[in-house]
Amino acid sequence: MKDTEIDKLNPLEQRAAMSLASIYALRMLGLFMIFPVFSLYGQELDGNTPFLIGFAIGAYGLTQAIFQIPFGMLSDKIGRKPVIIVGMLIFAIGSIVAAMADSIYGVIIGRIIQGSGAVAAAVMALAADLSREEQRLKIMAVIGMSIGFAFAIAMVLGSILNEMIGVDGIFWLTALFAMLGVVVVIFWVPDAPKVFHRDTQPVPEQFKRILADRQLLRLDIGILILHMVLTATFLVIPIALVNEQAANFPSAEHWKLYLPVMLVSMLLMLPFIIIAEKKRRMKEVFVGAIVVVALAEMGFWAFNDSLYALAFFILIFFAGFNLLEASLPSLISKMSPSESKGTAMGIYSTSQFFGAFLGGVIGGKLLGLYGINGVFLFTMFAMLLWALIALTMKSPRYLSNYIVKLGNITTADKAKVTAGLTGICGVAEAVVIPEDGAAYLKVDLHALDRAGLKEFSQRFL
């Protein structure tokens, strides 16, 4: 195979990237379309309280956090596609339960069931099964972008669809999206033999080590706080917008705010991503984005009686939020041991979903006790706490994960192979796992001697 062909996704990888990204997007659309509208809808349900409305918004995060790693491990045993199909069916059932509910408790049950269909780890494992090591990062990037776009579209669509079909209709549409996801799995996603991949899947024996890593723990706490703040914020933002004594912005019009905000915020973050990666100022940009979100929360607290102020601070919020969402996975990849990236990402994702649950529960409780200002004060101080934690973070090394297939090597060869790999220009670290027939590297892609690395690895194939 020519080097130019190695650098490109082959047809199978292209199909895998698009089909798996569409599964993620369909699921994320369903989860997030209720974000901009549910706190208003929940007030019409029997038995509602601010706490229970918040619980309903965040409930999916609890079961998602509990089941995502077990579902991924189950896919190692029975196959990726069966686990994904079952997960999407569970998600559809939860959506139907929520759509048919006429009380807040019914919606909570539906959301808990939705989260139980935790397919994220299985989808990532299947993406790894269907890709070559040197192309895996590209496929993961496509899937990651689909999540970001799905979230942005969901914030706009939720407001529009609420006027057309109501929140119960959104839940029915979510069930339909889940069923479309099943069709995609059956008819579009390629088949592949399941293989264990340390770069995408958790290794239970590594949990203790990764949880004890203080740099990774800072990032896990960070993603928990970020999604806690997101959920709590959008529990009360719709309420602030429709407040007749303040912003007085009808819910039917909210999409007119969210659409330009989402587009402009994505454009605003791009220069800072370039500065972070190309200029190697990741820590400074990262801490700055945290402070920006904290300032947005302060703005919500101080000026939530003005529509124009709310619109401005929602823009600022999403500019910082989008930048953090893009930066955190990159930081996890840079800071995790090369052979433990899958474990680090599994713990990170669990923290993310648990943060969404906490945001709903804590936000709902504070809303009932202290009103929207109590929620905004909480989210502001949570972000400031994260900024202090992030300030103590080490600047990341600008190294990328790289996997080299070695074929059959013995334990006796391990030290010699490791020394040979680390002697290649651009290779900073090498961990050789004989049972995987692979070496997990940390490399400087700008300095990497690819030809030398290829020549060395081919001696063992």
Side-chain angles (χ1 to χ4, degrees):
M1 184 179 289
K2 297 178 181 179
D3 288 342
T4 54
E5 292 175 333
I6 292 175
D7 290 338
K8 297 179 181 179
L9 296 179
N10 62 36
L12 177 70
E13 290 166 336
Q14 292 173 12
R15 181 178 161 195
M18 298 308 298
S19 59
L20 294 173
S22 68
I23 292 170
Y24 246 114
L26 287 168
R27 193 171 183 279
M28 291 296 106
L29 272 174
L31 277 175
F32 287 120
M33 279 192 298
I34 71 159
F35 254 56
V37 296
F38 187 80
S39 58
L40 302 176
Y41 170 76
Q43 296 172 13
E44 303 171 4
L45 294 170
D46 292 343
N48 82 83
T49 66
F51 171 75
L52 291 175
I53 292 172
F55 194 105
I57 291 177
Y60 81 95
L62 177 62
T63 42
Q64 181 85 27
I66 291 170
F67 289 112
Q68 67 128 355
I69 290 179
F71 264 48
M73 295 171 69
L74 181 63
S75 76
D76 293 333
K77 298 183 182 299
I78 68 172
R80 316 295 188 208
K81 283 191 172 184
V83 167
I84 297 171
I85 289 169
V86 169
M88 295 300 282
L89 290 174
I90 292 172
F91 184 69
I93 291 169
S95 303
I96 292 169
V97 169
M100 297 179 67
D102 55 9
S103 75
I104 192 68
Y105 300 102
V107 174
I108 288 171
I109 292 169
R111 292 284 279 175
I112 287 172
I113 295 171
Q114 278 186 323
S116 301
V119 300
V123 170
M124 289 301 188
L126 183 53
D129 292 341
L130 290 165
S131 59
R132 294 165 292 165
E133 289 81 3
E134 61 270 17
Q135 296 301 326
R136 195 162 297 150
L137 186 60
K138 292 180 184 177
I139 291 183
M140 299 303 175
V142 171
I143 293 173
M145 285 189 293
S146 76
I147 297 170
F149 282 120
F151 177 78
I153 292 168
M155 293 296 294
V156 177
L157 273 184
S159 300
I160 296 172
L161 291 174
N162 183 43
E163 289 303 307
M164 297 171 62
I165 58 178
V167 173
D168 54 343
I170 291 176
F171 280 125
W172 281 112
L173 186 60
T174 299
L176 177 60
F177 285 165
M179 297 308 299
L180 285 175
V182 172
V183 173
V184 169
V185 175
I186 295 172
F187 294 105
W188 192 13
V189 176
D191 293 317
K194 60 180 186 292
V195 181
F196 187 80
H197 308 275
R198 292 173 185 265
D199 58 327
T200 59
Q201 295 170 256
V203 180
E205 295 79 13
Q206 296 176 347
F207 285 154
K208 184 177 179 180
R209 175 191 175 194
I210 295 301
L211 286 169
D213 187 313
R214 294 184 179 182
Q215 296 304 313
L216 293 175
L217 190 58
R218 285 175 172 84
L219 300 177
D220 295 333
I221 292 170
I223 192 63
L224 184 149
I225 290 175
L226 183 62
H227 278 258
M228 179 179 71
V229 166
L230 172 70
T231 307
T233 298
F234 279 86
L235 171 65
V236 293
I237 283 290
I239 298 172
L241 287 172
V242 301
N243 188 341
E244 293 180 359
Q245 282 72 49
N248 193 25
F249 191 48
S251 61
E253 305 291 311
H254 287 188
W255 69 270
K256 295 179 181 178
L257 187 157
Y258 292 131
L259 179 58
V261 158
M262 290 296 170
L263 293 174
V264 175
S265 65
M266 287 183 178
L267 292 175
L268 285 176
M269 78 169 184
L270 289 177
F272 294 99
I273 289 178
I274 294 170
I275 292 170
E277 293 288 353
K278 300 293 185 182
K279 304 295 184 182
R280 301 199 168 188
R281 305 298 296 270
M282 177 69 81
K283 181 178 177 180
E284 294 88 341
V285 170
F286 182 69
V287 175
I290 297 171
V291 173
V292 164
V293 176
L295 291 173
E297 297 294 338
M298 185 183 297
F300 293 146
W301 169 70
F303 302 106
N304 59 67
D305 58 347
S306 164
L307 173 60
Y308 295 108
L310 282 170
F312 173 74
F313 287 113
I314 290 171
L315 172 63
I316 297 303
F317 174 91
F318 276 113
F321 175 85
N322 291 337
L323 183 53
L324 291 168
E325 279 282 282
S327 301
L328 277 161
S330 176
L331 284 167
I332 286 281
S333 180
K334 286 177 170 64
M335 292 188 171
S336 61
S338 55
E339 79 283 8
S340 304
K341 182 187 169 188
T343 305
M345 286 303 300
I347 294 171
Y348 166 85
S349 296
T350 298
S351 302
Q352 172 183 329
F353 293 121
F354 190 64
F357 169 69
L358 288 179
V361 171
I362 297 172
K365 189 65 175 178
L366 291 174
L367 177 61
L369 291 173
Y370 305 110
I372 61 175
N373 278 334
V375 178
F376 289 137
L377 273 177
F378 164 72
T379 53
M380 180 184 71
F381 282 114
M383 292 303 299
L384 290 174
L385 173 63
W386 183 17
L388 291 175
I389 294 170
L391 279 171
T392 66
M393 178 182 78
K394 292 180 180 178
S395 293
R397 296 182 301 165
Y398 292 86
L399 301 175
S400 301
N401 293 286
Y402 203 93
I403 303 173
V404 175
K405 283 291 183 186
L406 298 172
N408 296 319
I409 58 171
T410 65
T411 303
D413 295 327
K414 184 175 176 179
K416 181 175 68 175
V417 174
T418 302
L421 287 167
T422 52
I424 295 171
C425 182
V427 177
E429 295 177 9
V431 177
V432 177
I433 310 291
E435 55 267 34
D436 291 4
Y440 299 85
L441 314 179
K442 288 283 190 180
V443 304
D444 181 343
L445 290 175
H446 298 292
L448 182 62
D449 179 4
R450 296 173 188 268
L453 184 60
K454 181 180 178 181
E455 180 183 350
F456 182 86
S457 64
Q458 284 181 337
R459 300 176 194 173
F460 303 92
L461 296 176

